[in-house]
């Protein structure tokens, strides 16, 4: 933390970036830290390759996020947020890897330790929790705008304080953010209370696509481009639908196979499938995702695969027949307190 603070104190031009297909944590962390560095008088560019989902467009400062990077500009440092590896940032990874200073701020236990400085805490409920600590260490006070982004990051990554990553810090930090003027009801209304008709139609078709493995332990959901076109929805509308599959009784692992758009927008690759995994806690979703070159958390993970749909399904069903193999091993459980884990390099 001290080294990163020193590094940022002497940097003038800083690039902040988070992962493709951003969620509330990727966007909230980006904005909160961006506004803090603004306060310090830094020249800051906020970057995300993908469009911002409509539900997050209310965040104050969201208009600062750029989707194109001027590759000829000179930066003293890049801060990568909520990215378990550098490629998660999308096509600009090749440019960023040549930056003189890369700072990796993340909470995925599968983080591969890229970059020169690391603030990686697998026990943090969200990257926003780590950003909160960094902003404090930088000596910047939270504006209501920054607080709104931190709150949204924690709210969404903990599934509204329901997932197993919900820790005491989630409540302590959110309590402080509410004290700074954050309105929980307004944020909840923006994030969860406003659905397009298309999204509801998509939900209908997504529920219809559910298949259960023969042992009842795996639920598979498929969203094709055809279905997205029919309902006039995009990748952002699919966010959270997998939780319906996860909530089916006896299901240990829910899978959503989502066909990536042919134009590559909002996806990790062109064509192919983005696969999301959600576990009920009895199997390690991140370990399964790693098998396919992806990563994530114990209970929420993902990967990209370029293979025919039938093959993707077959490989996942093979895993379903042997889920005991993916039960957690004690060493992977985040047991250490945040203060210790914060320094851990993964
Ligand atoms: P999602 O299912 O897209 O909401 O992602 C669930 C978790 O898995 C998030 O923490 C992501 O950062 C992570 N994840 C998703 N896709 C990938 C990928 N291709 N590579 C590494 N991590 C991923
Ligand atoms: Mn994320
Ligand atoms: Mn996150």
């Amino acid at each position: 933390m001290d080294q990163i603070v020193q590094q940022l104190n002497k940097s003038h031009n800083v690039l902040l970036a988070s992962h493709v297909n951003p969620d509330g944590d990727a966007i909230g962390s980006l904005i909160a830290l961006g506004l803090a560095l603004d306060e310090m008088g830094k020249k800051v560019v906020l970057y995300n390759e993908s469009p911002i989902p409509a539900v997050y467009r209310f965040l104050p400062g969201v208009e600062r996020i750029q989707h194109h990077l001027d590759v000829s500009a000179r930066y003293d440092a890049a801060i990568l947020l909520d990215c378990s590896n550098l490629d998660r940032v999308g096509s600009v990874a090749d440019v960023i890897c040549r930056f003189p200073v890369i700072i990796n701020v993340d909470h995925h236990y599968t983080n591969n330790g890229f970059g020169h400085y690391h603030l990686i805490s697998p026990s943090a409920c969200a990257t926003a929790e780590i950003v909160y600590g960094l902003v404090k260490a930088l000596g910047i006070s939270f504006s209501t705008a920054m607080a709104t982004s931190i709150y949204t990051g924690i709210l969404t990554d903990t599934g509204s304080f329901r997932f197993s990553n919900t820790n005491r810090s989630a409540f302590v930090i959110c309590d402080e953010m509410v004290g700074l003027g954050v309105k929980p009801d307004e944020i909840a209304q923006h994030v969860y209370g406003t659905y397009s008709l298309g999204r509801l139609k998509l939900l209908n078709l997504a529920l219809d696509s559910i298949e259960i493995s023969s042992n009842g332990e795996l639920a598979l959901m498929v969203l094709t481009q055809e279905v997205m076109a029919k309902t006039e929805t995009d990748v952002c509308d699919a966010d959270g639908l997998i939780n319906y599959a996860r909530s089916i009784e006896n299901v240990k692992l829910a899978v959503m196979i989502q066909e990536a758009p042919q134009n590559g927008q909002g996806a990790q690759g062109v064509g192919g499938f983005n696969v999301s995994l959600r576990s009920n806690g009895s199997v390690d979703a991140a370990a399964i995702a790693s098998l396919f070159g992806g990563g994530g958390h114990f209970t929420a993970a993902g990967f990209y695969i370029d293979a025919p749909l039938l093959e993707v399904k077959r490989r996942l069903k093979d895993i379903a027949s042997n889920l005991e193999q993916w039960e957690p091993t004690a060493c992977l459980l985040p047991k250490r307190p945040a203060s210790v884990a914060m320094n851990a390099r993964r």
Side-chain angles (χ1 to χ4, degrees):
M1 182 71 92
D2 293 346
Q3 288 175 0
I4 290 172
V5 170
Q6 271 176 28
Q7 206 36 260
L8 290 175
N9 277 330
K10 63 183 187 207
S11 302
H12 299 291
N13 297 313
V14 185
L15 174 71
L16 301 192
S18 55
H19 65 78
V20 294
N21 289 342
D23 46 31
D25 189 28
I27 299 167
S29 298
L30 188 61
I31 296 174
L33 189 55
L35 297 180
L37 294 177
D38 274 352
E39 285 294 308
M40 292 172 74
K42 307 293 173 190
K43 204 163 159 270
V44 198
V45 169
L46 308 190
Y47 174 83
N48 193 285
E49 182 172 292
S50 312
I52 304 300
V55 295
Y56 299 120
R57 288 190 204 138
F58 75 96
L59 287 171
V62 73
E63 68 289 343
R64 291 279 307 276
I65 301 176
Q66 303 180 8
H67 306 284
H68 292 283
L69 190 63
D70 176 4
V71 291
S72 63
R74 224 190 68 83
Y75 292 97
D76 304 315
I79 308 179
L80 278 288
L81 297 156
D82 207 35
C83 293
S84 54
N85 60 68
L86 187 53
D87 286 338
R88 291 285 290 147
V89 80
S91 56
V92 296
D94 289 348
V95 178
I96 294 177
C97 70
R98 291 195 291 270
F99 277 31
V101 173
I102 299 172
I103 301 169
N104 174 350
V105 179
D106 186 35
H107 68 132
H108 293 91
Y109 90 75
T110 57
N111 192 292
N112 70 358
F114 70 88
H116 307 101
Y117 295 91
H118 311 99
L119 210 48
I120 302 167
S121 170
S123 62
C125 62
T127 297
E129 176 184 333
I130 308 172
V131 167
Y132 165 89
L134 178 56
V135 170
K136 288 253 152 150
L138 288 167
I140 302 297
S141 27
F142 284 90
S143 61
T144 309
M146 286 159 64
T148 303
S149 270
I150 294 284
Y151 181 97
T152 303
I154 293 178
L155 176 76
T156 54
D157 249 31
T158 58
S160 307
F161 311 103
R162 286 176 301 150
F163 298 160
S164 58
N165 57 335
T166 308
N167 55 13
R168 288 180 65 185
S169 306
F171 294 102
V172 172
I173 297 170
C174 286
D175 174 63
E176 186 179 334
M177 300 299 109
V178 172
L180 291 163
V182 167
K183 300 272 187 291
D185 59 322
E186 286 176 15
I187 295 181
Q189 184 59 27
H190 282 292
V191 176
Y192 301 114
T194 330
Y195 278 4
S196 65
L197 179 61
R199 183 178 153 109
L200 286 182
K201 291 187 170 169
L202 185 69
L203 168 63
N204 191 20
L205 295 173
L207 295 178
D208 229 20
S209 76
I210 291 178
E211 284 177 56
I212 306 284
S213 63
S214 48
N215 60 6
E217 294 177 352
L218 179 124
L220 256 174
M221 204 180 229
V222 180
L223 291 181
T224 58
Q225 279 301 312
E226 192 189 339
V227 160
M228 311 286 282
K230 199 153 92 185
T231 52
E232 294 180 25
T233 51
D234 61 29
V235 62
C236 309
D237 294 299
D239 193 38
L241 297 186
I242 189 175
N243 291 319
Y244 288 93
R246 195 185 85 146
S247 63
I248 300 169
E249 58 183 348
N250 300 327
V251 165
K252 292 183 175 168
L253 185 71
V255 178
M256 184 167 76
I257 304 174
Q258 201 180 350
E259 190 179 1
Q262 286 303 325
N263 64 11
Q265 201 179 46
Q268 274 223 291
V270 177
F273 296 92
N274 286 306
V275 180
S276 293
L277 305 178
R278 297 291 183 272
S279 133
N280 69 349
S282 64
V283 291
D284 184 351
I288 297 173
S290 302
L291 195 69
F292 296 89
H297 310 281
F298 209 76
T299 52
F303 62 90
Y304 169 77
I305 183 166
D306 194 3
L309 180 58
L310 282 178
E311 188 187 325
V312 179
K313 280 187 171 182
R314 185 188 52 75
R315 290 184 64 182
L316 287 160
K317 283 181 181 166
D318 281 352
I319 287 172
S321 58
N322 196 6
L323 274 182
E324 307 74 55
Q325 195 187 324
W326 301 98
E327 279 169 10
T329 47
C331 63
L332 295 177
L333 286 168
K335 282 203 183 107
R336 290 166 304 164
S339 54
V340 178
M342 195 69 107
N343 299 319
R345 187 184 155 158
R346 292 285 182 124

